[in-house]
Amino acid sequence: MNYKLSKRKTLFTLPLIIVFIILAAFRFAGNSLHPLEPMSQHYKTLSELPPLRYNARAWMDSIRYPWAEYGKGAQSNSLWRTVYLSGELEASLPGLVAPPANSSEQTRAELDYLLRLQQKRTPQEITRAQFIANIGSWPNILNPEDPDYEENRKQLFYIASPVGEWYNNKHFPATTELLLNCIQDIRVTEFRLKWHFKRARPYHLEPALKPLARISSPSYASGHSLWAFSEAFLFAEIIPERRADFLKMAEEVRWSRELMGIHYPSDNEASRVISWHLLNAWYKNPAFVEALNRARKEWKDWNKSNQRN
């Protein structure tokens, strides 16, 4: 090959290569997600224990969630269709997590941790946990005449409470629509996971546990933690600078489920991990990206308007 010709081709193509690299970098940066934060220290310590069956407690592995307690509402919810989440990605989610065996050293340590929480919980903590227990939006409340309609939409923004009361469903309709669709996907995911794993609640394994409520669905994964972390990650895509605040709210929801004695820490960690993967899966759907961009624009426009005023 002629050296001069080769050199000219190289000099011509090099700027194009650089341009493509820069464009690719911008495209990747625009769609890349914030890495999943490390697990909380209290669960990290528990997760380091063996999760496999322990022969001395093998009898515990036969205990599953008692189907007689499984609510009819929960069963019908498992038939909902997703909005942004494809069937293929939805089917893959249970393969990303797995609970420790009932008889394992890890589960025993988790139960002991819940017993310590039970012994130390204060009346104020109980009141707070029970308040949080009543938070959580449902996509099947569609009738404006329903007495829970307004409160249901208001609660969509609970995780974003640190932003202010004005950040709500009335002022941000595009964000509300996005959240309603995501909540539907979250609820479908929640009940599909519960149906798949059928994990007994902590109080089914440990008679000394006195839960503050009995729940009509299996334990794994936590529905409250799933919507809390999913919304925290989602709001962080709209208002990135408040990510730490949103995650703090989600962590309080996580804590409340353990304080009440109704979820193992591993239930909540699974929900946190699945929440991050849900956001990854949503990003693969152009309809989600379009809806998210409308919510981002709505947030920016509101701030510009209020800065002028």
Side-chain angles (χ1 to χ4, degrees), residues 171-241:
H171 295 148
F172 293 83
T175 305
T176 300
E177 181 183 1
L178 171 68
L179 291 170
L180 281 170
N181 287 336
C182 288
I183 279 291
Q184 178 143 332
D185 285 6
I186 290 165
R187 293 302 184 188
V188 171
T189 300
E190 170 190 351
F191 286 104
R192 296 283 167 85
L193 289 170
K194 290 178 181 294
W195 177 273
H196 179 85
F197 290 106
K198 300 180 179 69
R199 190 183 195 185
R201 293 276 173 174
Y203 48 82
H204 292 131
L205 298 185
E206 177 49 71
L209 269 175
K210 307 301 178 188
L212 299 180
R214 295 186 74 91
I215 311 300
S216 60
S217 64
S219 199
Y220 196 87
S222 165
H224 271 71
S225 291
L226 187 67
W227 66 252
F229 281 103
S230 294
E231 285 202 354
F233 295 141
L234 186 58
F235 279 121
E237 294 298 297
I238 301 170
I239 318 173
E241 63 272 19

Side-chain angles (χ1 to χ4, degrees), residues 44-166:
K44 184 175 187 300
T45 301
L46 294 167
S47 70
E48 291 169 351
L49 295 169
L52 303 178
R53 294 183 176 185
Y54 184 60
N55 288 338
R57 291 188 291 267
W59 61 270
M60 298 179 72
D61 293 316
S62 64
I63 300 175
R64 306 292 293 276
Y65 185 85
W67 222 237
E69 295 183 19
Y70 197 46
K72 291 181 180 179
Q75 294 180 53
S76 63
N77 291 341
S78 69
L79 302 177
W80 290 345
R81 297 292 181 264
T82 55
V83 180
Y84 300 131
L85 184 63
S86 71
E88 181 181 1
L89 288 171
E90 181 199 338
S92 72
L93 293 177
L96 300 175
V97 293
N102 289 353
S103 63
S104 69
E105 290 293 285
Q106 181 179 335
T107 295
R108 183 63 258 172
E110 291 191 42
L111 291 170
D112 290 340
Y113 160 78
L114 295 178
L115 286 170
R116 291 194 297 272
L117 279 183
Q118 175 177 284
Q119 185 178 15
K120 297 187 299 182
R121 60 193 179 197
T122 66
Q124 293 78 12
E125 288 175 331
I126 291 172
T127 298
R128 181 63 181 168
Q130 290 176 328
F131 168 79
I132 294 173
N134 291 317
I135 301 293
S137 186
W138 293 87
N140 58 339
I141 301 179
L142 301 173
N143 182 1
E145 301 300 319
D146 190 309
D148 295 324
Y149 181 86
E150 284 300 327
E151 183 63 23
N152 190 56
R153 275 158 169 68
K154 179 182 177 182
Q155 289 185 5
L156 285 167
F157 288 79
Y158 174 75
I159 295 298
S161 297
V163 176
E165 291 185 6
W166 50 269

